[in-house]
Amino acid sequence: MSIKNLLVHLDSGERAAVRLELAASLARQHGARLIGVFGQRAAAQRVGVVATWPSPEYVVARDASQAAFAKASAGLARAEWIDVNRGSDAEVLRQVTNLARHADLVVLGQREHGGNTLLPEDFVVEVIVDCGRPVLVVPYAGDFKDVGKRPMIAWNDAREAAHALNDALPLLAGCEDAWVLSFASRHEDGDASCAHVVRHLADHGITAKPEVLVVEDFGIMDLLLNRVSDRSADLLVMGAHGQIGFPFVSRGAGTRYILQHMTVPVLMSS
């Protein structure tokens, strides 16, 4: 798969500029069409019993987003900015998800600790599991002008991991130092699993080093984040699970844990 169109979610938050800069950089790198989608929570303006839309606050935020997008996308062919023109949680989530289904790559922002009143609480995870497209989530702290030079690929033989691995291939091309990290209950199982992934990546011209950690089901996400830090990775690639509750407690919970504690961009596919 090559990246021919790329969607970035925008709002009036401070981190929108970081997402937009990274998305524009990736669009230029891959010769892709850039699509900016503005959407955030907003209440209708009320005068007496009459409600009008959009409110003045929404109009100001919308116009500022459009101007920032025009500046960041200067020189990009067929760049497009879209206003979802809705303020309720359900409508913002529905419209962004629907638009994301038509993109080769979707760029979202990590929810900031303490809450982000601009978006529904589960906005990021809901888009990831429902849009059917690879989603690159940008942390709420730090500058990220490029990704994929030092990727860490989390592997566990699951369908979601396979989707994420192959969805990430365009971002991994030309990488300098790639790692495939497998968690297994037996070392020999992890070795065999990693070997298949390393060989698959080699077929795509990507040299990767395997690493196996023998673990139980406890603390895996912390181990993964520690390895990302130890290897100075600039991108984590992993499958995403939307289930939460028995019998998938650790699956959906692990995805949410990474989205809460990530410190580098994460590409997730479900």
Side-chain angles (χ1 to χ4, degrees):
M1 183 196 82
S2 59
I3 299 175
K4 296 301 183 183
N5 49 62
L6 190 156
L7 182 149
V8 56
H9 170 256
L10 304 171
D11 54 32
S12 60
E14 294 181 1
R15 297 297 293 178
V18 177
R19 295 195 299 277
L20 179 55
E21 182 180 16
L22 175 57
S25 174
L26 289 172
R28 289 188 172 89
Q29 179 181 342
H30 294 272
R33 179 166 65 94
L34 180 64
I35 306 157
V37 175
F38 177 79
Q40 63 181 38
R41 280 175 166 172
Q45 182 184 16
R46 286 192 173 274
V47 179
V49 295
V50 179
T52 60
W53 177 263
S55 66
E57 292 80 10
Y58 186 90
V59 170
V60 170
R62 177 198 68 193
D63 292 350
S65 175
Q66 187 173 19
F69 180 82
K71 182 178 180 180
S73 63
L76 287 173
R78 300 180 298 124
E80 180 182 7
W81 180 89
I82 300 171
D83 173 20
V84 303
N85 195 29
R86 294 292 186 274
S88 71
D89 284 12
E91 278 298 299
V92 170
L93 180 58
R94 181 182 70 83
Q95 295 212 39
V96 173
T97 301
N98 285 343
L99 290 166
R101 291 188 176 122
H102 306 285
D104 290 330
L105 180 67
V106 180
V107 180
L108 304 180
Q110 178 192 22
R111 184 177 179 85
E112 188 171 349
H113 289 317
N116 178 355
T117 58
L118 295 174
L119 295 170
E121 183 174 355
D122 282 339
F123 176 78
V124 174
V125 71
E126 292 289 346
V127 174
I128 290 171
V129 299
D130 286 342
C131 76
R133 307 304 302 144
V135 176
L136 181 65
V137 186
V138 182
Y140 69 78
D143 293 323
F144 306 96
K145 298 180 180 179
D146 196 11
V147 296
K149 298 300 182 185
R150 299 180 306 280
M152 172 72 72
I153 300 158
W155 184 256
N156 65 351
D157 278 327
R159 172 180 64 89
E160 293 83 357
H163 284 173
L165 169 67
N166 289 282
D167 286 339
L169 289 176
L171 298 180
L172 306 184
C175 64
E176 300 167 356
D177 193 16
W179 287 86
V180 177
L181 180 62
S182 177
F183 295 98
S185 57
R186 300 192 310 165
H187 208 286
E188 53 268 31
D189 293 337
D191 282 338
S193 181
C194 273
H196 288 299
V197 178
V198 169
R199 187 159 47 246
H200 177 60
L201 289 172
D203 289 338
H204 288 270
I206 300 166
T207 301
K209 306 179 187 71
E211 181 177 8
V212 177
L213 293 180
V214 178
V215 295
E216 299 299 331
D217 192 35
F218 182 76
I220 290 178
M221 296 300 114
D222 280 327
L223 287 173
L224 175 57
L225 292 172
N226 287 339
R227 272 297 187 268
V228 167
S229 177
D230 293 343
R231 303 297 184 191
S232 298
D234 67 350
L235 174 67
L236 172 61
V237 177
M238 63 180 289
H241 298 277
Q243 300 98 331
I244 193 74
F246 185 82
F248 304 109
V249 174
S250 63
R251 298 174 72 188
T255 297
R256 287 166 170 80
Y257 189 86
I258 293 295
L259 289 173
Q260 290 171 0
H261 298 90
M262 54 186 278
T263 56
V264 300
V266 179
L267 185 138
M268 286 187 171
S269 298
S270 63

